Amino acid sequence: MMRFYCLGPAGGVHEARGDAWVFPGGKGARVCTFSGSGGAHESAGGGIGRRAMLVCRVVAGRVTKQVGVDSLIDDCRVGFDSVSGVNGELMAFDSRAVLPCFLIIYKL
């Protein structure tokens, strides 16, 4: 599925290493993506100015729904690859499942 991930201010775009993008936390880190660009923008702090956003292909695998905030990471990680949250959020438990396709630079 295609999802949105906001990198925040456009100055942070240059964190690519070699030919591959590196998500914060490195290999195996959790990555929260959104079904719409508005949710992704708000997750990065909102605001105005130049921003960078990735449109990513996400291999969601086995998905569960968010049961509670406290159990989101510990309980759901066992047996599942990602968890579906509120407002179109999808958290992939492994950053290798999030494949950047397009980089969008925009200004508000």
Side-chain angles (χ1 to χ4, degrees):
M1 64 180 77
M2 298 301 278
R3 311 280 298 177
F4 294 89
Y5 178 82
C6 190
L7 297 166
V13 171
H14 304 291
E15 294 181 18
R17 296 181 188 157
D19 293 334
W21 285 96
V22 178
F23 287 100
K27 179 179 160 184
R30 295 182 297 270
V31 177
C32 188
T33 62
F34 294 83
S35 60
S37 59
H41 176 77
E42 290 301 317
S43 75
I48 59 173
R50 276 182 43 158
R51 299 285 177 164
M53 185 173 302
L54 293 172
V55 179
C56 304
R57 182 176 308 268
V58 178
V59 182
R62 295 166 296 193
V63 181
T64 186
K65 292 190 180 202
Q66 182 176 350
V67 179
V69 176
D70 297 334
S71 64
L72 175 65
I73 304 304
D74 298 328
D75 296 341
C76 294
R77 187 167 184 145
V78 177
F80 294 99
D81 301 307
S82 57
V83 63
S84 175
V86 295
N87 300 326
E89 296 176 46
L90 180 75
M91 182 180 294
F93 292 131
D94 191 338
S95 62
R96 295 175 294 179
V98 181
L99 311 169
C101 294
F102 305 101
L103 172 65
I104 301 169
I105 306 286
Y106 63 99
K107 184 176 179 180
L108 290 179

